Amino acid sequence: MADQQQGREKTGVGRRRAVEIAAFMAGFVLALAFFAFFPGLPHVIDWGAIIVAVLVGVLARWICQYWMGKKSEEGE
């Protein structure tokens, strides 16, 4: 019985990790797309755009962690 609970916890942790990675990648790609295609910008991906995209990805992951933590507290 304890093995089954540990298996559920592992799948929950794995799923949470996958969602966090997806949130980071979505934020990163959306920020790069903004810099690449927004009218009026030079349409060049430079180091500044990459750094901002990484920061946006980290922010998206942090928001996802907060939201998922809030959901798990409500579920208990």
Side-chain angles (χ1 to χ4, degrees):
M1 182 118 165
D3 293 336
Q4 290 177 349
Q5 289 177 349
Q6 287 179 348
R8 288 183 198 148
E9 290 175 8
K10 287 181 183 178
T11 58
V13 170
R15 184 176 299 144
R16 182 178 177 139
R17 179 80 173 153
V19 170
E20 290 175 0
I21 290 170
F24 173 82
M25 291 305 296
F28 181 79
V29 169
L30 287 174
L32 281 181
F34 173 79
F35 285 113
F37 298 114
F38 191 74
L41 292 177
H43 306 296
V44 174
I45 302 298
D46 59 353
W47 283 109
I50 293 171
I51 291 170
V52 169
V54 168
L55 292 175
V56 169
V58 169
L59 180 65
R61 183 176 179 262
W62 180 76
I63 290 170
C64 179
Q65 283 178 335
Y66 174 76
W67 181 70
M68 290 179 73
K70 192 173 180 181
K71 285 285 198 180
S72 68
E73 288 176 359
E74 290 175 0
E76 292 180 1

